[in-house]
Amino acid sequence: ASSSQDLRVVAPSYVFEPGPSSLTLYTDGESKGDVVVEYASCAEVVKDSEGPKGMLFQSVEGKVFPSGVVEVAPTNFAVLDVRPDASQIQVAADLAAFMTGPGAIEITTKDGMKSEYAYQFVAELSDSDGVLFSAPTGFLFPANAAFVSKTKGVSQWIQHE
């Protein structure tokens, strides 16, 4: 495939933010490797003459997606569940994507607000349903959390006894 302003991938709709956002592209073309790119929007598409059911990404104005894309991954991971007491949050991600903790994550809520939250530790769930972040004692995650991403900088959280 050549460079394009559109990128169609087979993926469930809940995995990616509607945009604008970013995703990681793994390529096997001339620039083999992985690259994080921004996208303007994405929407669910049905199977048609253009391709299979999945997601269609639109590049940001003036940019194109690279050729040779073989795999895509979110940079912002979908929240699958916020526990009723808001002390834990389940996210569609692999454990390797985050430090085991303590640490910080950026949470985007359903209304689009982004804030940084502390977590005490993160663990992989045994049923392959992502990872579970646990908040430090006295901290809670937002009930309307939609996506989680790594923080941009290095954050260190110190818990005082």
Side-chain angles (χ1 to χ4, degrees):
S2 61
S3 297
S4 172
Q5 292 181 318
D6 297 335
L7 178 66
R8 189 174 189 147
V9 300
V10 176
S13 61
Y14 71 85
V15 174
F16 294 96
E17 282 187 286
S21 191
S22 60
L23 70 160
T24 302
L25 302 177
Y26 301 91
T27 63
D28 67 357
E30 290 178 20
S31 57
K32 187 173 182 163
D34 62 296
V35 60
V36 174
V37 298
E38 293 180 2
Y39 61 89
S41 64
C42 77
E44 194 170 5
V45 291
V46 297
K47 180 180 178 180
D48 59 16
S49 63
E50 298 293 316
K53 176 182 177 180
M55 301 298 295
L56 183 65
F57 294 89
Q58 301 283 318
S59 63
V60 294
E61 191 172 333
K63 303 278 186 176
V64 294
F65 293 112
S67 60
V69 174
V70 293
E71 188 177 335
V72 300
T75 55
N76 301 321
F77 302 91
V79 171
L80 300 173
D81 186 43
V82 179
R83 299 302 192 250
D85 68 357
S87 68
Q88 294 181 314
I89 189 170
Q90 183 179 349
V91 178
D94 291 326
L95 189 59
F98 297 94
M99 295 187 321
T100 55
I105 51 177
E106 183 176 80
I107 295 179
T108 303
T109 56
K110 292 176 182 172
D111 61 4
M113 300 297 295
K114 293 180 187 240
S115 297
E116 199 170 287
Y117 289 83
Y119 66 91
Q120 189 63 36
F121 60 89
V122 61
E124 192 162 31
L125 297 173
S126 60
D127 55 5
S128 300
D129 280 339
V131 297
L132 189 67
F133 288 93
S134 294
T137 303
F139 289 84
L140 300 175
F141 295 116
N144 64 342
F147 290 91
V148 168
S149 60
K150 295 179 186 180
T151 55
K152 304 295 185 243
V154 175
S155 297
Q156 184 166 5
W157 297 84
I158 299 171
Q159 185 176 7
H160 298 282
E161 300 287 328

